[in-house]
Amino acid sequence: MSGYSQDDLIDYSEKDEGIFDEDHSANEEYDKLYELLPQLKKQVAGKYQHLDEKKMKELLWNNYFNVEDTVTEIKDTFKGRNASASDVPRVNGGLSGLLLKRHSKFQPSSGGGLAGLMARKHIKDEESTTGLSKLAMRIKKQRMEGPATVIERMKKVPVKLVPPKVLELPPKKSPEPASPPVRSFSPELPKLPEFSLTAPVHLTSFPSSLLTRVIFFDQLGQASPNLIHERHQLGTKLKTDLDFFRTFTNSHSDIARRVTANFSEPSPDEKQRKLDQMTSEMSKVNLSKKKAPAKPHTTKPKKKIDLQKELSEKSSKPNLSFIVIGHVDSGKSTMIGRLLYDLKIVDSKTMHRLTKESDSIGKSSFSLAWIMDQTPEERSRGVTVDICQTQFETKTSRFTVIDSPGHKDYVPKMINGVTQADIAVMIVDTASFEAGFSNNGQTKEHLTIAKNLGIKRCIIAVNKMDTVDWDVSEFIGVRDQLSAFLIENLKYEADNLIFVPTSGFLGDNVVKKSTNCSWYKGKPLMQLLEEESRGNNRVFDEKSRFIMTINDLQQGSRDDELILGGRINSGFVQPGETILIAPGQESATVDSICVSSSDVGSSILKKSLQNLAIEGEFVELKLKKIDNADNIKIGDLITKIDDPLESVRKLRCEITCFNLDRPLLVGTPFILFRGNVSIPSRFSKIEQIITASGKLNKKRKHLSSDNSGIAEIEILDGEIPIITFKESEKLGRIVIRKDGKTVGAGRVL
Amino acid sequence: MKLLHQKLERDQSGRVSVIAEDKDDLWTLYNLIAKGDDITMKTYRNVKRGSGANESNSTRKLLTLTLRIEAVDFTPSEEVMRVKGRSIEQNEDVPQGSYHTDELGLGKKIILYKDEWDEVALDTISKACSIESKAEVGAVVLEEGVAHICLLTDSMTVIRSKIQKSIPKKRRGDSSQHDKAIDKFLQSTAESTIRNLNIEKFKAIVLVSPGTVARQLYDRIFEIATKEHNKSLIKCKNKFVVSHSSTGYLQGLEEALKSPELVKRLSDTKFQRNVLIFDEFTKYLNEDMGRAWYGEQEVVKASNIPGAIKVLLITDSLFKNDDIGRRKYFIQLTDKVKDGGAEVSVFSCLHDTGEQLNQLTGIAVILNYPIPNLDEDDE
């Protein structure tokens, strides 16, 4: 039963926040509910009589017991709805309609929307391969527990299993399991048709397979145990048996006839066999066709555009990408959370929910960080694991924020993030500065990596100033130590470093200027970033070679669709053009280009289709008709089809070593980072070694601390497309790590 | 390896009859069989009957042949070794001097004749035949998106399966695709681990990853075991060791083998010892104080100073040398070092460390005390 434990299901409903259950609300919530209910009633009295008490309660709950919000929502939702009698929410008792609305509202930001829920539910089903039999077992068990508990459970189970839209359906039928077992699908069987009448609109949006299962198991609940086994076998084939499903959904008057008709037809097994046969015949035909694949060639953009006009439009708003780096627990995710919250990109509802959730596991101080840290692992451990980027726009600029993990184990991910950023925002924890700044801390390592990957400017947020009472001497202490390291060891220019005292948790000097530190004369972080973005406005060279790095791969809505997210390193691309992905040499046509971003002050994540995407932009390319999606990996480079990149196994580099525990020998394996690829490699040849004192040593075969030299790196696992430092300042840089330490950096020659 | 018969003459020539029982034995044989040795074994050969016009009439026949070896070929991932040579005995079906190639698999008896059995060769045989020194360890090295399932024996690291999946990034507000992909990845890795590793036979199974992925895999494996009522697997629970590395690529394994918990657990296995010795060597090398040297010339020099060498590191590929003179030279060198009271550690080049040592000329020493400038030429 582990696949479907009750706990899981409960988690589920909590996570997706959508379902209100009065009986299950906490005591205080319950009290509050009844305290506020009369107020609400008074406010809506007269106008919305069709609203019954239950609905009001639910609305209240959904609005976190804020009466005003609830009233607004009622007004919004029911405006004009009274007029049309056939309207969905009413037919459905209003409840599911409301939920639907609520969900659709939430979809962009919370992902807890119906589609998301369905998708997840679906996944769960798919993954526990024996999920089906589990369910059957479960129902069997319920039957044995006696009718009373069955009803109780039936009420519970479907509420959690089935998304809100069919919420009302299962309870209706819940008394039925008590009735004597019925052996076949006889016409007088259930009241199923009713459900199809009440919810036809929603049904269309259902993944059919899931619905089939839902219905099917309702049936099962009434079947005798030995039938369950039979039905279970059948159940696996149910996907193909859509006709059967339609019988119960699309008609109601003549199901009996349909059922009999259906059973007189060939059995599902037989149909499947025929289908298989047909498929194999079809595939033969396809195979012979595929023998002569059309050679991919350049294709013209879908639309003819005025390049200059589009370009000037693009450059009117500068685009700045910044990565937030720092030692673990210095408050990186919280800082970003605060930034997004204060810019009102994350609305108070979402924030409220996160606060509640984090409170419930005793980590209330993490609520802001949870905006970026969403995976269960990240939340339970309170540590960011992977980078997370998000985009937003102010009046003057477009920003891409990249949150990075500070934990030592996840430096590789942080490196990926750095390769996508223009500037770095370093967060330092004032209170425990030493821990991060020591040799094992990530403050130094992150800065070293950033510098070596070509980050020239750095804003250093001296964070958690509230914990030291905004003591100016603490700030100066941290600033001096850091700038000494940055300027002397990493050769940063003093002009390129900006220090700002902040408190990410309380929001001081993040968006608003803090009133707690009169001694700080500078600007808050957000203003500094806006200034940076203006300074970062580079001149776009339209003749430059189009290269894009893949940062993210998501499955499209269809199997052969793929959405590639990434940053354009140089050049531009338009929908309709054919691209080549190295090193897999997969080619595809760009179907559309999309930028998703939020406006300051609005929590809506808008996705806008682009006619053109240029250097520096973070875009999503939708590709259709991908033959072999496995050939495309995160970190691959995209070029145009007529401009292939050379992929190699060996590359010649200029290497500088840092402080090493063990020398780098010819043959020592390490991990090579280039762009956002990380790949196991080793030196195959060390051509030249210059020791720390500047002496040339020809005989040695190993690089020790602070040595530099020229070496040939051999990739141990496949090939990578190569771009020299001369060609691209970003992609021509490499970093090497071994045993969890950054041991060297260099440039591709 | 099973030693059936051994007969050596005074002039050190002689024949040994053995049966290979596992992969390690094949590797041992691969290192043992040199060009010019004779092998007698049973083998199938297509024999042509009749003559002239009827030549196409051939049948497959089981024969006992003796070959003079010209080439030996071994792929660690497969459990066979190929030997090629010319038959040296007249046979009614096979004329003398005709070429024959055969696969030496597990459980096949062969008689190996050498003109000269040296110290190292005999030692290799006796080591391969002792049972207690054998230990197999399973290992899974992984990170989010990539997993290597491998098998460690005394002389080799073999990747049994590699799982690679692109994991979509989490996004603000929606990480469902990410979570789904991670879950799938863990599931297939766990299933593949159970399928590919003969867990009951192993001394230990090491799960290595950065972060908590290894722990998640551990949980997942036993979730599956419980679900499937796999009692034998549940019994092996205490054989599993979850350890930490900085990467999910194979090199993470070496890193993990140095960790105290695994040192304790696997202290009596040869590869573990080699990893530690190699680590000590590189540590001294980094200090650059003259306590560690590599290169033939340097090692020879150090061997001439009595009591200087603490450990001699040498790869088996130096012994596997077609040039008998070179082979003898290295054997003499190790004998000399051994007599001087130092430890000799033979690295298998099928392990990562041996491979690295090979890149560093294949021979190296750790000294008892620093001797600077060992690399300078004497005038």
Side-chain angles (χ1 to χ4, degrees):
Chain A
M1 296 294 283
S2 52
Y4 259 119
S5 75
Q6 194 83 0
D7 285 356
D8 274 0
L9 298 172
I10 288 169
D11 274 359
Y12 229 69
S13 54
E14 273 176 8
K15 240 174 263 160
D16 290 297
E17 67 109 61
I19 300 146
F20 166 71
D21 186 347
E22 193 183 315
D23 301 329
H24 284 82
S25 32
N27 278 343
E28 49 186 286
E29 284 176 355
Y30 195 81
D31 292 345
K32 216 167 179 183
L33 195 62
Y34 277 91
E35 191 184 306
L36 293 172
L37 194 62
Q39 284 182 37
L40 181 66
K41 271 189 192 165
K42 216 188 282 170
Q43 290 206 34
V44 299
K47 285 184 214 161
Y48 306 98
Q49 273 147 343
H50 61 278
L51 278 171
D52 62 17
E53 203 165 287
K54 193 182 164 204
K55 258 170 262 158
M56 283 196 211
K57 279 186 213 161
E58 186 184 336
L59 285 166
L60 261 176
W61 186 81
N62 280 340
N63 283 295
Y64 308 104
F65 308 113
N66 185 330
V67 178
E68 276 162 44
D69 283 1
T70 316
V71 174
T72 347
E73 183 167 344
I74 292 174
K75 278 179 185 162
D76 286 352
T77 320
F78 291 94
K79 208 184 291 163
R81 297 232 162 192
N82 298 342
S84 107
S86 62
D87 218 330
V88 184
R90 282 198 63 178
V91 175
N92 235 348
L95 183 127
S96 45
L98 258 180
L99 273 169
L100 175 69
K101 180 154 171 72
R102 204 176 129 66
H103 276 295
S104 62
K105 241 179 173 175
F106 265 81
Q107 219 147 2
S109 60
S110 72
L114 185 70
L117 185 67
M118 287 300 297
R120 275 203 219 173
K121 169 72 192 69
H122 198 54
I123 293 150
K124 274 207 149 180
D125 256 359
E126 300 268 273
E127 262 159 42
S128 63
T129 41
T130 50
L132 234 93
S133 55
K134 289 274 150 54
L135 260 175
M137 271 167 65
R138 186 190 184 85
I139 290 164
K140 202 169 165 182
K141 195 178 148 206
Q142 282 166 5
R143 282 181 53 79
M144 291 198 275
E145 280 168 1
T149 51
V150 168
I151 293 171
E152 185 58 34
R153 274 174 180 255
M154 283 296 275
K155 251 183 196 164
K156 264 192 211 160
V157 175
V159 168
K160 277 144 197 165
L161 266 179
V162 181
K165 283 175 193 167
V166 263
L167 200 61
E168 295 193 322
L169 168 69
K172 264 189 208 162
K173 283 198 264 86
S174 50
E176 283 176 15
S179 68
V182 185
R183 277 209 165 251
S184 63
F185 299 103
S186 61
E188 69 271 19
L189 203 96
K191 294 174 203 157
L192 272 171
E194 271 181 39
F195 128 68
S196 61
L197 264 188
T198 48
V201 184
H202 310 305
L203 279 177
T204 53
S205 65
F206 255 52
S208 51
S209 59
L210 185 76
L211 194 65
T212 327
R213 288 184 198 180
V214 171
I215 296 169
F216 189 69
F217 284 111
D218 248 278
Q219 292 272 353
L220 271 183
Q222 301 149 23
S224 72
N226 54 356
L227 199 72
I228 287 174
H229 182 65
E230 269 174 61
R231 288 300 161 213
H232 169 216
Q233 288 183 333
L234 216 158
T236 52
K237 279 162 196 133
L238 246 174
K239 269 190 186 166
T240 55
D241 200 5
L242 273 171
D243 284 359
F244 171 70
F245 150 61
R246 286 199 190 97
T247 316
F248 286 96
T249 52
N250 289 347
S251 78
H252 68 108
S253 58
D254 55 353
I255 353 158
R257 194 169 47 78
R258 287 274 186 106
V259 169
T260 9
N262 267 351
F263 273 85
S264 64
E265 278 174 20
S267 78
D269 283 14
E270 231 162 292
K271 280 184 195 168
Q272 180 65 43
R273 209 158 38 235
K274 267 184 196 160
L275 195 71
D276 285 349
Q277 206 179 335
M278 264 166 72
T279 335
S280 66
E281 270 165 28
M282 298 248 297
S283 59
K284 260 182 224 154
V285 177
N286 274 348
L287 273 177
S288 57
K289 261 186 198 164
K290 266 183 193 163
K291 267 177 192 162
K295 227 184 168 185
H297 49 85
T298 47
T299 43
K300 286 210 174 93
K302 283 182 179 169
K303 275 188 208 163
K304 265 206 167 167
I305 53 163
D306 182 351
L307 193 64
Q308 292 312 320
K309 197 179 134 228
E310 292 271 348
L311 283 179
S312 68
E313 239 170 65
K314 290 258 180 198
S315 56
S316 66
K317 259 197 180 183
N319 192 338
L320 181 80
S321 156
F322 64 94
I323 180 165
V324 180
I325 55 176
H327 188 61
V328 68
D329 284 339
S330 55
K332 294 172 292 301
S333 302
T334 303
M335 180 67 80
I336 295 174
R338 169 58 69 183
L339 194 72
L340 296 177
Y341 182 54
D342 283 358
L343 290 170
K344 301 201 172 49
I345 291 159
V346 172
D347 60 6
S348 50
K349 250 189 214 171
T350 314
M351 206 51 241
H352 190 98
R353 178 169 53 89
L354 290 176
T355 313
K356 236 169 119 182
E357 283 172 13
S358 56
D359 237 355
S360 67
I361 62 160
K363 290 190 173 173
S364 52
S365 65
F366 282 90
S367 56
L368 281 164
W370 281 17
I371 292 174
M372 301 305 267
D373 293 351
Q374 309 161 69
T375 64
E377 195 199 346
E378 287 178 327
R379 288 189 173 180
S380 61
R381 292 172 69 208
V383 167
T384 307
V385 169
D386 201 352
I387 53 169
C388 180
Q389 54 123 316
T390 187
Q391 303 197 56
F392 64 88
E393 270 178 48
T394 63
K395 281 190 197 87
T396 53
S397 321
R398 288 187 289 167
F399 291 99
T400 304
V401 201
I402 302 162
D403 183 21
S404 71
H407 193 278
K408 206 172 141 194
D409 277 5
Y410 306 117
V411 174
K413 313 264 182 166
M414 174 263 173
I415 295 176
N416 293 350
V418 173
T419 59
Q420 304 165 30
D422 299 319
I423 69 159
V425 175
M426 176 84 206
I427 312 272
V428 207
D429 181 352
T430 329
S432 54
F433 173 69
E434 287 303 327
F437 199 60
S438 67
N439 272 335
N440 288 322
Q442 266 59 61
T443 305
K444 273 184 181 170
E445 186 175 13
H446 278 187
L447 285 170
T448 310
I449 290 167
K451 172 70 188 177
N452 280 295
L453 286 175
I455 303 277
K456 293 200 181 73
R457 284 179 71 81
C458 205
I459 298 177
I460 296 110
V462 183
N463 198 23
K464 304 199 184 174
M465 281 301 286
D466 53 310
T467 58
V468 295
D469 292 328
W470 298 93
D471 184 352
V472 67
S473 61
E474 294 272 354
F475 175 71
I476 289 172
V478 170
R479 189 186 65 188
D480 290 351
Q481 280 188 66
L482 262 181
S483 42
F485 172 73
L486 283 165
I487 293 166
E488 277 161 33
N489 295 35
L490 296 184
K491 311 277 180 276
Y492 266 99
E493 282 166 39
D495 295 350
N496 286 334
L497 304 171
I498 304 165
F499 289 83
V500 50
T502 59
S503 166
F505 185 56
L506 300 173
D508 293 88
N509 278 342
V510 179
V511 174
K512 282 166 249 156
K513 185 144 172 45
S514 171
T515 49
N516 290 319
C517 53
S518 46
W519 44 266
Y520 175 67
K521 303 289 177 227
K523 290 171 179 151
L525 182 62
M526 192 56 218
Q527 276 186 37
L528 290 172
L529 287 169
E530 293 226 1
E531 273 172 20
E532 290 297 323
S533 78
R534 281 191 286 276
N536 189 46
N537 202 1
R538 63 213 128 194
V539 183
F540 175 63
D541 174 15
E542 60 192 76
K543 290 208 174 59
S544 61
R545 189 179 190 187
F546 168 69
I547 299 176
M548 175 175 156
T549 324
I550 302 179
N551 299 333
D552 193 8
L553 278 180
Q554 309 247 351
Q555 183 66 51
S557 46
R558 283 173 39 176
D559 269 358
D560 62 347
E561 270 179 27
L562 208 59
I563 296 166
L564 310 183
R567 188 171 202 199
I568 300 182
N569 295 79
S570 58
F572 67 92
V573 70
Q574 294 176 60
E577 288 189 281
T578 300
I579 53 167
L580 187 69
I581 299 155
Q585 302 301 329
E586 197 72 17
S587 63
T589 308
V590 180
D591 185 57
S592 64
I593 301 175
C594 171
V595 171
S596 37
S597 150
S598 304
D599 282 330
V600 166
S602 136
S603 59
I604 297 159
L605 187 73
K606 51 169 196 188
K607 295 203 167 199
S608 47
L609 290 177
Q610 306 284 313
N611 288 329
L612 174 75
I614 63 162
E615 181 178 323
E617 280 190 299
F618 283 85
V619 293
E620 282 176 357
L621 306 182
K622 185 160 143 195
L623 309 182
K624 275 189 175 170
K625 293 188 191 132
I626 300 279
D627 292 335
N628 194 353
D630 292 340
N631 246 343
I632 304 171
K633 297 202 169 60
I634 290 176
D636 286 358
L637 298 180
I638 305 177
T639 53
K640 299 219 169 130
I641 186 80
D642 53 350
D643 178 28
L645 283 171
E646 190 195 355
S647 295
V648 293
R649 285 195 75 101
K650 286 185 177 173
L651 46 144
R652 222 169 134 249
C653 308
E654 205 179 82
I655 290 278
T656 309
C657 292
F658 305 141
N659 201 5
L660 311 176
D661 294 343
R662 304 283 184 273
L664 291 172
L665 317 169
V666 171
T668 308
F670 52 78
I671 305 282
L672 172 77
F673 291 85
R674 201 287 315 270
N676 53 2
V677 213
S678 57
I679 196 159
S681 319
R682 68 177 180 205
F683 287 126
S684 52
K685 206 153 79 188
I686 296 180
E687 289 179 16
Q688 195 185 75
I689 296 170
I690 299 161
T691 54
S693 48
K695 259 200 320 198
L696 198 76
N697 190 328
K698 278 189 179 161
K699 209 169 171 196
R700 278 219 320 230
K701 280 190 161 189
H702 67 268
L703 287 160
S704 337
S705 294
D706 303 318
N707 285 177
S708 60
I710 294 172
E712 188 181 70
I713 292 176
E714 183 187 4
I715 314 283
L716 292 173
D717 193 8
E719 304 185 319
I720 60 167
I722 182 176
I723 290 173
T724 61
F725 182 74
K726 261 191 224 151
E727 254 182 287
S728 161
E729 231 184 85
K730 278 235 121 131
L731 288 170
R733 289 177 187 271
I734 56 166
V735 163
I736 58 181
R737 297 189 93 232
K738 181 177 162 48
D739 294 359
K741 291 204 174 79
T742 304
V743 292
R747 297 164 174 193
V748 183
L749 293 175
Chain B
M1 192 142 62
K2 206 182 250 174
L3 183 64
L4 300 174
H5 181 73
Q6 187 173 8
K7 190 168 182 244
L8 298 183
E9 308 293 336
R10 261 203 206 129
D11 61 348
Q12 287 198 312
S13 71
R15 58 191 71 238
V16 167
S17 145
V18 289
I19 296 176
E21 287 174 314
D22 58 28
K23 260 191 209 186
D24 255 12
D25 293 343
L26 288 179
W27 177 244
T28 309
L29 283 178
Y30 171 72
N31 280 314
L32 215 53
I33 299 170
K35 210 169 157 182
D37 293 347
D38 298 341
I39 289 183
T40 309
M41 64 192 164
K42 282 198 168 130
T43 176
Y44 282 99
R45 187 179 165 95
N46 290 335
V47 179
K48 287 171 186 140
R49 294 252 160 242
S51 58
N54 265 344
E55 240 174 63
S56 61
N57 226 352
S58 73
T59 48
R60 219 167 137 74
K61 200 173 173 189
L62 183 65
L63 305 161
T64 303
L65 284 184
T66 302
L67 304 175
R68 179 142 296 160
I69 299 304
E70 292 192 354
V72 192
D73 201 23
F74 179 53
T75 325
S77 54
E78 289 157 31
E79 295 191 335
V80 286
M81 179 167 77
R82 296 166 73 84
V83 288
K84 182 185 159 199
R86 294 176 94 136
S87 85
I88 49 167
E89 273 170 18
Q90 187 66 35
N91 186 302
E92 81 176 275
D93 296 306
V94 184
Q96 190 174 355
S98 58
Y99 275 103
H100 185 78
T101 303
D102 191 33
E103 287 183 349
L104 289 184
L106 301 183
K108 190 166 181 173
K109 180 183 153 188
I110 61 161
I111 298 166
L112 175 64
Y113 173 85
K114 270 181 182 294
D115 285 336
E116 192 179 344
W117 284 91
D118 53 48
E119 232 6 69
V120 172
L122 289 174
D123 196 42
T124 320
I125 290 235
S126 72
K127 263 191 190 152
C129 292
S130 71
I131 309 160
E132 78 273 9
S133 66
K134 300 231 159 177
E136 286 197 333
V137 169
V140 184
V141 195
L142 74 163
E143 63 185 38
E144 286 187 3
V146 61
H148 301 82
I149 296 165
C150 40
L151 173 75
L152 296 175
T153 71
D154 275 347
S155 56
M156 61 185 96
T157 312
V158 187
I159 299 188
R160 297 302 295 266
S161 166
K162 183 177 173 187
I163 291 157
Q164 213 164 6
K165 254 194 161 75
S166 276
I167 310 274
K169 296 273 182 234
K170 60 174 180 164
R171 299 176 160 199
R172 184 164 69 82
D174 176 21
S175 59
S176 59
Q177 279 218 16
H178 169 87
D179 297 350
K180 173 183 155 192
I182 288 280
D183 194 66
K184 257 196 179 150
F185 167 71
L186 276 178
Q187 185 72 19
S188 44
T189 309
E191 277 167 4
S192 173
T193 306
I194 297 170
R195 202 172 51 237
N196 278 307
L197 297 182
N198 191 353
I199 290 168
E200 284 161 64
K201 245 178 78 184
F202 289 158
K203 191 180 160 71
I205 294 99
V206 193
L207 309 178
V208 183
S209 82
T212 58
V213 196
R215 174 60 58 185
Q216 288 173 38
L217 177 68
Y218 174 82
D219 293 342
R220 183 60 65 96
I221 288 175
F222 287 102
E223 196 182 296
I224 294 176
T226 325
K227 217 187 259 176
E228 291 174 352
H229 304 292
N230 190 340
K231 276 193 192 136
S232 54
L233 180 57
I234 295 170
K235 256 187 215 157
C236 296
K237 201 164 185 170
N238 57 0
K239 283 189 189 172
F240 279 79
V241 188
V242 176
S243 187
H244 180 269
S245 71
S246 64
T247 169
Y249 290 100
L250 214 50
Q251 49 190 270
L253 189 59
E254 200 192 319
E255 194 187 331
L257 286 177
K258 288 181 219 159
S259 73
E261 53 197 318
L262 283 183
V263 168
K264 219 172 102 196
R265 188 84 177 223
L266 306 171
S267 55
D268 48 350
T269 55
K270 188 182 162 206
F271 54 84
Q272 162 84 43
R273 221 161 38 236
N274 282 354
V275 165
L276 293 181
I277 289 173
F278 194 73
D279 188 50
E280 192 187 346
F281 168 72
T282 50
K283 195 181 87 198
Y284 285 130
L285 201 58
N286 193 48
E287 284 168 3
D288 211 2
M289 299 290 291
R291 274 198 71 180
W293 293 99
Y294 55 83
E296 194 186 319
Q297 200 191 342
E298 286 83 349
V299 171
V300 171
K301 265 195 220 165
S303 70
N304 289 330
I305 307 168
I309 297 179
K310 188 180 165 202
V311 188
L312 172 74
L313 302 83
I314 186 163
T315 59
D316 53 9
S317 53
L318 288 188
F319 294 130
K320 164 91 193 154
N321 206 322
D322 284 338
D323 179 351
I324 294 173
R326 289 286 288 167
R327 182 182 157 88
K328 272 198 177 143
Y329 171 75
F330 284 115
I331 290 167
Q332 275 165 11
L333 186 63
T334 45
D335 282 350
K336 187 170 149 195
V337 171
K338 250 187 212 165
D339 292 343
E343 183 186 343
V344 174
S345 203
V346 181
F347 285 69
S348 161
C349 59
L350 289 184
H351 275 308
D352 232 18
T353 44
E355 168 87 52
Q356 285 176 59
L357 189 59
N358 243 351
Q359 299 279 341
L360 284 178
T361 69
I363 187 162
V365 281
I366 301 174
L367 302 181
N368 278 318
Y369 47 85
I371 306 175
N373 306 330
L374 210 57
D375 56 339
E376 276 169 19
D377 295 322
D378 302 317
E379 295 304 323

